[in-house]
Amino acid sequence: MPTFEYAPAPESSSIVDIKSSYGIFINGEFTDGRGDGTRKTVNPATEEVLAEVTEAGAEDVDRAVAAAREAYERVWGPMRGADRAKYLYRLARIIQERARELAVLESLDNGKPIRESRDVDIPLVAAHFFYYAGWADKLEYAGLGTTPRPIGVAGQVIPWNFPLLMLAWKIAPALACGNTVVLKPAETTPLTALAFAEICQQAELPPGVVNIVTGAGETGRLLVEHAGVDKVAFTGSTDVGRAIAKAVAGTGKRLTLELGGKAANIVFDDAPVDQAVEGIVNGIFFNQGHVCCAGSRLLVQESVAELVLDRLKRRMALLRVGDPLDKNTDVGAINSAAQLERIRELTASGEEEGAARWTAPCELPDRGFWFAPTLFTGVSQAHRIAREEIFGPVLSVLTFRTPAEAVEKANNTPYGLSAGVWTDKGSRILAIADRLRAGVVWANTFNKFDPASPFGGYKESGYGREGGRHGLEAYLAH
Ligand code: NAD
């Protein structure tokens, strides 16, 4: 089959102005940290250092929480919802205006393809602020009581896979409801959160309403355990989520946890095969598989397994892996050396436990952190690659014969964040979706997000919902 040769189409990085070092953002200003020094953030596609970022310590977290408290009591809490909305609309519009710059910055710091940061992440970030701006003056109609009140100061900790989007999921509903925030981005991807701090200045958001403290796990721990924080919102791994739940228990703080996943993507024999193959690829190779709701377990009906796998491999061979800033790229860099190591360790266990590995033929760059799109067949439910979250471009394929077996296997996981169903029959979609223990079930599509739809998990995937009207509940006292 003739293939097209693509000329490189790199997005220019000249639009971003990355400083050599960053302080933390407290009370509307960038200030030097008084804590544990700095940490370098690198471009995972090249291993080049992008900037030095402050490692905030206890005194810094104290200052940030105090600024948030003051802004909550004096300005933001008492402000009319309609006025808060104006600021949120302003933030949303500035994000749109600076969309190209933010997309490039996100791809540089995270390694995700520009096609995704440009077409998915940043538009969704703006959409989230627009959506919650619309709620700010209508909270009494949200069905959450007639006199909804904010909770106070929110301490928010986010992961590295969708840095600015996770920030938007946390900050937009918190501010709409009248809370102020201290947010800690992940240590490997702080740059778009720091750009957002500049956007808060540009929008003339009152000082202290948004505070950004950078640092690693210890900074996160200091924030969530701080006595001045009224509400904790965490997105990240189940292990850290568990530690936070323990630390917060009995303190009276409100808590929401968005944790890991091991989603089943179920393909029935009547599914349109090419469409399903696109959905499988989008389900697991979108964002290098660094997606909590990734369709990492493919459950395919035995009668069509061979056909689906043939087409899937053919499609995977066409994925373009490489420079995240190239507009042709489908799969970018793995976010960090540590994450690459974890993916390697788990995939090695797949082979050791007897599954068969197939890797898409592709050339990987010499420098940077890379992992070629991979699938495993002959996977049993007991294998680690079927149970543990790999958080990389790796698909585990299992088969089933009956709908009941599909449901049983799909639910056989400690997680419960998302699932997918591919079938021609609407009645089957409804019947299966009803029996899947997952917060989100996609039908004949996958990884679709909208600010109006709630997102969240069951079991070890956490509790609480983000997005939609449900997302307001986490930020209102009731
Ligand atoms: P992680 O739990 O290691 O880190 C997440 C964040 O928590 C980082 O900012 C980190 O610095 C901070 N942190 C680490 N230790 C902490 C502690 N003791 N106290 C407070 N904060 C601490 O997770 P990660 O590797 O950055 O992200 C990947 C995980 O996030 C995956 O498991 C993925 O499924 C999950 N995730 C879930 C969702 C969701 O909505 N459910 C979305 C994205 C990612």
Side-chain angles (χ1 to χ4, degrees), residues 282-303:
N282 177 39
I284 185 62
F285 301 117
F286 171 61
N287 203 33
Q288 296 71 248
H290 300 328
V291 183
C292 48
C293 52
S296 53
R297 284 183 303 150
L298 171 63
L299 301 187
V300 56
Q301 198 153 13
E302 211 173 85
S303 49

PDB file of all heavy atoms in Angstrom, residues 282-303:
ATOM      1  N   ASN A 282      -8.042   6.240  19.752  1.00  0.00           N
ATOM      2  CA  ASN A 282      -8.245   7.476  20.510  1.00  0.00           C
ATOM      3  C   ASN A 282      -8.308   7.168  22.008  1.00  0.00           C
ATOM      4  O   ASN A 282      -7.812   7.920  22.841  1.00  0.00           O
ATOM      5  CB  ASN A 282      -9.542   8.152  20.029  1.00  0.00           C
ATOM      6  CG  ASN A 282      -9.850   9.392  20.817  1.00  0.00           C
ATOM      7  OD1 ASN A 282      -8.957  10.156  21.164  1.00  0.00           O
ATOM      8  ND2 ASN A 282     -11.121   9.584  21.133  1.00  0.00           N
ATOM      9  N   GLY A 283      -8.904   6.038  22.349  1.00  0.00           N
ATOM     10  CA  GLY A 283      -9.076   5.666  23.761  1.00  0.00           C
ATOM     11  C   GLY A 283      -7.762   5.444  24.478  1.00  0.00           C
ATOM     12  O   GLY A 283      -7.633   5.792  25.646  1.00  0.00           O
ATOM     13  N   ILE A 284      -6.764   4.879  23.798  1.00  0.00           N
ATOM     14  CA  ILE A 284      -5.538   4.544  24.527  1.00  0.00           C
ATOM     15  C   ILE A 284      -4.320   5.344  24.077  1.00  0.00           C
ATOM     16  O   ILE A 284      -3.390   5.546  24.855  1.00  0.00           O
ATOM     17  CB  ILE A 284      -5.255   3.013  24.492  1.00  0.00           C
ATOM     18  CG1 ILE A 284      -4.038   2.650  25.371  1.00  0.00           C
ATOM     19  CG2 ILE A 284      -5.072   2.483  23.078  1.00  0.00           C
ATOM     20  CD1 ILE A 284      -4.181   2.942  26.824  1.00  0.00           C
ATOM     21  N   PHE A 285      -4.294   5.838  22.841  1.00  0.00           N
ATOM     22  CA  PHE A 285      -3.071   6.532  22.413  1.00  0.00           C
ATOM     23  C   PHE A 285      -3.183   8.054  22.479  1.00  0.00           C
ATOM     24  O   PHE A 285      -2.184   8.765  22.307  1.00  0.00           O
ATOM     25  CB  PHE A 285      -2.639   6.050  21.022  1.00  0.00           C
ATOM     26  CG  PHE A 285      -2.384   4.567  21.018  1.00  0.00           C
ATOM     27  CD1 PHE A 285      -3.131   3.704  20.240  1.00  0.00           C
ATOM     28  CD2 PHE A 285      -1.433   4.030  21.878  1.00  0.00           C
ATOM     29  CE1 PHE A 285      -2.926   2.330  20.289  1.00  0.00           C
ATOM     30  CE2 PHE A 285      -1.206   2.660  21.935  1.00  0.00           C
ATOM     31  CZ  PHE A 285      -1.961   1.809  21.137  1.00  0.00           C
ATOM     32  N   PHE A 286      -4.380   8.577  22.708  1.00  0.00           N
ATOM     33  CA  PHE A 286      -4.563  10.009  22.970  1.00  0.00           C
ATOM     34  C   PHE A 286      -3.708  10.396  24.178  1.00  0.00           C
ATOM     35  O   PHE A 286      -3.719   9.700  25.200  1.00  0.00           O
ATOM     36  CB  PHE A 286      -6.055  10.251  23.256  1.00  0.00           C
ATOM     37  CG  PHE A 286      -6.397  11.626  23.748  1.00  0.00           C
ATOM     38  CD1 PHE A 286      -6.141  12.748  22.976  1.00  0.00           C
ATOM     39  CD2 PHE A 286      -7.009  11.797  24.984  1.00  0.00           C
ATOM     40  CE1 PHE A 286      -6.479  14.017  23.434  1.00  0.00           C
ATOM     41  CE2 PHE A 286      -7.353  13.054  25.447  1.00  0.00           C
ATOM     42  CZ  PHE A 286      -7.082  14.172  24.664  1.00  0.00           C
ATOM     43  N   ASN A 287      -2.934  11.462  24.031  1.00  0.00           N
ATOM     44  CA  ASN A 287      -2.098  11.956  25.135  1.00  0.00           C
ATOM     45  C   ASN A 287      -1.132  10.888  25.662  1.00  0.00           C
ATOM     46  O   ASN A 287      -0.887  10.782  26.868  1.00  0.00           O
ATOM     47  CB  ASN A 287      -2.975  12.492  26.271  1.00  0.00           C
ATOM     48  CG  ASN A 287      -2.246  13.479  27.163  1.00  0.00           C
ATOM     49  OD1 ASN A 287      -1.387  14.223  26.719  1.00  0.00           O
ATOM     50  ND2 ASN A 287      -2.567  13.474  28.447  1.00  0.00           N
ATOM     51  N   GLN A 288      -0.593  10.048  24.724  1.00  0.00           N
ATOM     52  CA  GLN A 288       0.374   8.993  25.070  1.00  0.00           C
ATOM     53  C   GLN A 288      -0.191   7.998  26.084  1.00  0.00           C
ATOM     54  O   GLN A 288       0.553   7.325  26.794  1.00  0.00           O
ATOM     55  CB  GLN A 288       1.689   9.578  25.642  1.00  0.00           C
ATOM     56  CG  GLN A 288       2.491  10.418  24.693  1.00  0.00           C
ATOM     57  CD  GLN A 288       1.836  11.734  24.419  1.00  0.00           C
ATOM     58  OE1 GLN A 288       1.389  11.972  23.307  1.00  0.00           O
ATOM     59  NE2 GLN A 288       1.725  12.570  25.411  1.00  0.00           N
ATOM     60  N   GLY A 289      -1.521   7.955  26.200  1.00  0.00           N
ATOM     61  CA  GLY A 289      -2.118   7.064  27.203  1.00  0.00           C
ATOM     62  C   GLY A 289      -1.993   7.601  28.619  1.00  0.00           C
ATOM     63  O   GLY A 289      -2.363   6.922  29.583  1.00  0.00           O
ATOM     64  N   HIS A 290      -1.502   8.828  28.763  1.00  0.00           N
ATOM     65  CA  HIS A 290      -1.440   9.458  30.102  1.00  0.00           C
ATOM     66  C   HIS A 290      -2.822  10.038  30.398  1.00  0.00           C
ATOM     67  O   HIS A 290      -3.005  11.257  30.497  1.00  0.00           O
ATOM     68  CB  HIS A 290      -0.452  10.615  30.139  1.00  0.00           C
ATOM     69  CG  HIS A 290       0.969  10.272  29.817  1.00  0.00           C
ATOM     70  ND1 HIS A 290       1.549   9.075  30.110  1.00  0.00           N
ATOM     71  CD2 HIS A 290       1.953  11.020  29.256  1.00  0.00           C
ATOM     72  CE1 HIS A 290       2.826   9.088  29.737  1.00  0.00           C
ATOM     73  NE2 HIS A 290       3.077  10.260  29.205  1.00  0.00           N
ATOM     74  N   VAL A 291      -3.789   9.172  30.496  1.00  0.00           N
ATOM     75  CA  VAL A 291      -5.168   9.625  30.666  1.00  0.00           C
ATOM     76  C   VAL A 291      -5.818   8.708  31.707  1.00  0.00           C
ATOM     77  O   VAL A 291      -5.805   7.488  31.551  1.00  0.00           O
ATOM     78  CB  VAL A 291      -5.955   9.538  29.332  1.00  0.00           C
ATOM     79  CG1 VAL A 291      -7.357  10.087  29.491  1.00  0.00           C
ATOM     80  CG2 VAL A 291      -5.223  10.285  28.222  1.00  0.00           C
ATOM     81  N   CYS A 292      -6.346   9.337  32.768  1.00  0.00           N
ATOM     82  CA  CYS A 292      -6.916   8.515  33.849  1.00  0.00           C
ATOM     83  C   CYS A 292      -8.070   7.659  33.337  1.00  0.00           C
ATOM     84  O   CYS A 292      -8.289   6.556  33.809  1.00  0.00           O
ATOM     85  CB  CYS A 292      -7.391   9.424  34.969  1.00  0.00           C
ATOM     86  SG  CYS A 292      -8.385  10.775  34.348  1.00  0.00           S
ATOM     87  N   CYS A 293      -8.819   8.176  32.334  1.00  0.00           N
ATOM     88  CA  CYS A 293      -9.975   7.440  31.835  1.00  0.00           C
ATOM     89  C   CYS A 293      -9.644   6.707  30.540  1.00  0.00           C
ATOM     90  O   CYS A 293     -10.544   6.324  29.790  1.00  0.00           O
ATOM     91  CB  CYS A 293     -11.152   8.393  31.637  1.00  0.00           C
ATOM     92  SG  CYS A 293     -10.720   9.833  30.642  1.00  0.00           S
ATOM     93  N   ALA A 294      -8.359   6.491  30.250  1.00  0.00           N
ATOM     94  CA  ALA A 294      -7.951   5.824  28.996  1.00  0.00           C
ATOM     95  C   ALA A 294      -8.609   4.455  28.874  1.00  0.00           C
ATOM     96  O   ALA A 294      -8.792   3.743  29.865  1.00  0.00           O
ATOM     97  CB  ALA A 294      -6.428   5.657  28.975  1.00  0.00           C
ATOM     98  N   GLY A 295      -8.935   4.089  27.640  1.00  0.00           N
ATOM     99  CA  GLY A 295      -9.492   2.747  27.401  1.00  0.00           C
ATOM    100  C   GLY A 295      -8.348   1.753  27.332  1.00  0.00           C
ATOM    101  O   GLY A 295      -7.986   1.265  26.260  1.00  0.00           O
ATOM    102  N   SER A 296      -7.771   1.439  28.490  1.00  0.00           N
ATOM    103  CA  SER A 296      -6.522   0.665  28.507  1.00  0.00           C
ATOM    104  C   SER A 296      -6.753  -0.837  28.433  1.00  0.00           C
ATOM    105  O   SER A 296      -5.830  -1.601  28.204  1.00  0.00           O
ATOM    106  CB  SER A 296      -5.708   1.021  29.752  1.00  0.00           C
ATOM    107  OG  SER A 296      -6.512   0.883  30.897  1.00  0.00           O
ATOM    108  N   ARG A 297      -8.018  -1.272  28.662  1.00  0.00           N
ATOM    109  CA  ARG A 297      -8.327  -2.707  28.487  1.00  0.00           C
ATOM    110  C   ARG A 297      -9.324  -2.810  27.337  1.00  0.00           C
ATOM    111  O   ARG A 297     -10.476  -2.374  27.463  1.00  0.00           O
ATOM    112  CB  ARG A 297      -8.986  -3.275  29.751  1.00  0.00           C
ATOM    113  CG  ARG A 297      -8.016  -3.535  30.895  1.00  0.00           C
ATOM    114  CD  ARG A 297      -8.747  -4.154  32.068  1.00  0.00           C
ATOM    115  NE  ARG A 297      -9.854  -3.332  32.544  1.00  0.00           N
ATOM    116  CZ  ARG A 297     -10.951  -3.798  33.113  1.00  0.00           C
ATOM    117  NH1 ARG A 297     -11.129  -5.109  33.271  1.00  0.00           N
ATOM    118  NH2 ARG A 297     -11.893  -2.975  33.529  1.00  0.00           N
ATOM    119  N   LEU A 298      -8.888  -3.404  26.238  1.00  0.00           N
ATOM    120  CA  LEU A 298      -9.818  -3.636  25.138  1.00  0.00           C
ATOM    121  C   LEU A 298     -10.480  -4.982  25.365  1.00  0.00           C
ATOM    122  O   LEU A 298      -9.795  -6.005  25.470  1.00  0.00           O
ATOM    123  CB  LEU A 298      -9.063  -3.632  23.806  1.00  0.00           C
ATOM    124  CG  LEU A 298      -9.883  -4.079  22.592  1.00  0.00           C
ATOM    125  CD1 LEU A 298     -11.042  -3.121  22.334  1.00  0.00           C
ATOM    126  CD2 LEU A 298      -8.989  -4.164  21.352  1.00  0.00           C
ATOM    127  N   LEU A 299     -11.809  -4.993  25.480  1.00  0.00           N
ATOM    128  CA  LEU A 299     -12.554  -6.251  25.551  1.00  0.00           C
ATOM    129  C   LEU A 299     -13.243  -6.424  24.213  1.00  0.00           C
ATOM    130  O   LEU A 299     -14.165  -5.676  23.889  1.00  0.00           O
ATOM    131  CB  LEU A 299     -13.598  -6.209  26.674  1.00  0.00           C
ATOM    132  CG  LEU A 299     -13.095  -5.971  28.099  1.00  0.00           C
ATOM    133  CD1 LEU A 299     -14.221  -6.131  29.101  1.00  0.00           C
ATOM    134  CD2 LEU A 299     -11.979  -6.929  28.441  1.00  0.00           C
ATOM    135  N   VAL A 300     -12.807  -7.407  23.442  1.00  0.00           N
ATOM    136  CA  VAL A 300     -13.366  -7.564  22.107  1.00  0.00           C
ATOM    137  C   VAL A 300     -14.042  -8.922  22.001  1.00  0.00           C
ATOM    138  O   VAL A 300     -13.520  -9.927  22.513  1.00  0.00           O
ATOM    139  CB  VAL A 300     -12.268  -7.330  21.017  1.00  0.00           C
ATOM    140  CG1 VAL A 300     -11.072  -8.224  21.196  1.00  0.00           C
ATOM    141  CG2 VAL A 300     -12.832  -7.452  19.622  1.00  0.00           C
ATOM    142  N   GLN A 301     -15.224  -8.932  21.362  1.00  0.00           N
ATOM    143  CA  GLN A 301     -15.978 -10.192  21.262  1.00  0.00           C
ATOM    144  C   GLN A 301     -15.174 -11.175  20.398  1.00  0.00           C
ATOM    145  O   GLN A 301     -14.632 -10.800  19.345  1.00  0.00           O
ATOM    146  CB  GLN A 301     -17.373  -9.940  20.667  1.00  0.00           C
ATOM    147  CG  GLN A 301     -18.309 -11.078  20.947  1.00  0.00           C
ATOM    148  CD  GLN A 301     -19.772 -10.641  20.988  1.00  0.00           C
ATOM    149  OE1 GLN A 301     -20.121  -9.532  20.573  1.00  0.00           O
ATOM    150  NE2 GLN A 301     -20.628 -11.509  21.492  1.00  0.00           N
ATOM    151  N   GLU A 302     -15.120 -12.410  20.876  1.00  0.00           N
ATOM    152  CA  GLU A 302     -14.207 -13.400  20.280  1.00  0.00           C
ATOM    153  C   GLU A 302     -14.394 -13.555  18.768  1.00  0.00           C
ATOM    154  O   GLU A 302     -13.426 -13.658  18.019  1.00  0.00           O
ATOM    155  CB  GLU A 302     -14.447 -14.745  20.968  1.00  0.00           C
ATOM    156  CG  GLU A 302     -13.231 -15.606  21.061  1.00  0.00           C
ATOM    157  CD  GLU A 302     -13.522 -16.827  21.914  1.00  0.00           C
ATOM    158  OE1 GLU A 302     -14.051 -17.821  21.374  1.00  0.00           O
ATOM    159  OE2 GLU A 302     -13.234 -16.772  23.114  1.00  0.00           O
ATOM    160  N   SER A 303     -15.657 -13.508  18.323  1.00  0.00           N
ATOM    161  CA  SER A 303     -15.937 -13.758  16.902  1.00  0.00           C
ATOM    162  C   SER A 303     -15.344 -12.695  15.970  1.00  0.00           C
ATOM    163  O   SER A 303     -15.152 -12.954  14.789  1.00  0.00           O
ATOM    164  CB  SER A 303     -17.448 -13.851  16.683  1.00  0.00           C
ATOM    165  OG  SER A 303     -18.071 -12.758  17.308  1.00  0.00           O
TER     166      SER A 303
END
